[in-house]
Amino acid sequence: FKARFWALTNQKSVCGYCGTGCNLTLGVKDNKVLTTVYDENQGFHNGQLCCRGRFGYQFINSDKRLTTPLVRKNGSLTEATWDEALELVAARLKDAGSSAAALATPRLTNEELVLFKRLMETAGSANYDHSAGYAHAALTEGFARSFGAAASPATILDIQKSDLLLVIKTDSYETHPVIGFEINMAVKNKGVKLNILSDKRGKLSKLPDAQTLVHTPGSEIAVINALAKTILDDKLAAGTAAAIPGYADLEKALAGFTPEAVAGQSGLTASAIKRLANDYAKAEKALILFPIGNAYPGHNADLASAVANLALLTGKLGTEGSGVLCMAEKNNSQGAVDMGFYATSGLNAGQIMDGCASGAIKTLFVAGENPVVSYPNRTAISAALDKVEFLVVSDLFMTETAAMADVVLPACSFAEKEGTFTSVDRRVQHIKPAIGKIGQSRTDFEIFGQLIAKLGGQAPATPATVFGEIAASAPGYAGMSYASLGETGAFAPVAVTAAFVVPKTVAVEPVAGKLALVTGSALYHNGTLSQFGEGPMHVCPEGYLELSRTDAAKLKIQENDLLNVASAIGSTKLKARITPRMPEGVLFSPYHFGAAAVNQVWSGAPVTWVTVTK
Ligand code: SF4
């Protein structure tokens, strides 16, 4: 820290890491963000921030920031002018037309996402997605089918107003720490009951009287179905449930999900399942929290539907302290859904990667994503990106994906731009620049607008103009303007309809001699920013493999041993971390490290079976 507090200029902003949407004040001097300034009057969280929000901002002024456009010449990325780089990108987008595709980080502002979509449409392509194809299907499909809206029918403020929290497959202390603080306060100060359903124990499980049910990996939907079945059998359903469309189909589909039947495959006891179902249904107000992220590709939508069924069956929806809150991973994941930046008629993220591999996609524009590290199956992703004829990356840093590109465009961080972000609970918040742009970098808003103009389209002049369009078209945003959002933002209300949807379950059969690998976030999310922040890197500097004491003893593994981890798709080396929270036979590894990358072995299935040797 290199300045006195009184020498700083303060700029109020919104944290750029996770979807909690915490407010913060950036302390600036000499065009550098030097700190975040504690302000107890700021936000629903009274100024509290987690490690990422408080100490993770060195990436903004990192000397590793990209500062000039780069164009590949004779095999090497070479400094170029903006005009040369953008002319090339525009020409390749135009040539590719419907064979062009785009992947965006949900850390772009709403206004940038709208412009990126418009750029692709101007080029003639409907192939655009954020991490939706891998993660966000829970909202775009699951909630849309069950609630008629791709948004959570609850807010973070409901946590402390509830009587019972059911937290599914997440440790909010790791993924959304300030939501973890809210849970902590609800439990300790308000006596809210805490139930956790997960494939491993986390920090939340240490809260007083927390009831944690640890199920076998992949069996979570079956367990939730068994909760629903118990609610029906024990006559705990709300009087309104039978009138909801799909009730008869759900009742029929749940016949095989008795607690006794599910107990065997899930590793839980039937009595524990029945106890949880009764506690949830009998609570006057109950809130379900569950995550989405790259950790659960493939069955997010069904997990969302299963969760929604519980709330619909018991009528715990639409009232204070009740509902379902889906904790989107990145700071504008909900905004990306609201702006429609996901596949509708075109290809989703996974299909775009397949298209790159097959040659069907000719030009790929990746804005702020790092698929080589954060998508499953690194070998296949790298091969696909190697195959695509023309790869453009806009980013703050020379990521593993940017290093493969034909053109690299230096983009701006949230601290250098204006726009809006939408939190997990649809709080729309306005950010303004705290510092000037670094080097020759441009905002993605400028980059997309300039490309639209080069393709002959009409580029809006300012983010405010685009936000006016958003307010006129995005459900729930009507009447909003930058002026009306002020410093506190405004909620975009969710209009919910209801339908029961029968979720698909996955059959996860144990494989003899192998261990079940699950992945997820450990403090970092996908690491594109946090790996350039000193605070998070101090706490957790590298990838690791977490395993139980029992498995460690069986395999004669000591803490920090370097392990060979192999699956059907590849192998990697990870350091051992032995903890009491892992059940026997289950391994965990965070997915966001470029080196010692677990996506060398992680296939993207709900469970990847691996062997571990020293
Ligand atoms: Fe930022 Fe999320 Fe931490 Fe809040 S909880 S400070 S939004 S990373």
Side-chain angles (χ1 to χ4, degrees), residues 44 46 85 94 109 140 161 172 227 373 436 439 455 458 504 553 595 604:
F44 71 89
N46 302 322
K94 193 172 175 191
T109 62
T140 53
K161 294 174 182 162
S172 314
L227 297 176
V373 171
L455 289 174
Q458 190 85 33
K504 289 194 290 293

Side-chain angles (χ1 to χ4, degrees), residues 15 17-18 20-22 49-50 52-53 176-178:
C15 180
Y17 277 110
C18 90
T20 308
C22 297
L49 300 170
C50 74
R52 289 188 299 256
H176 301 73
V178 169

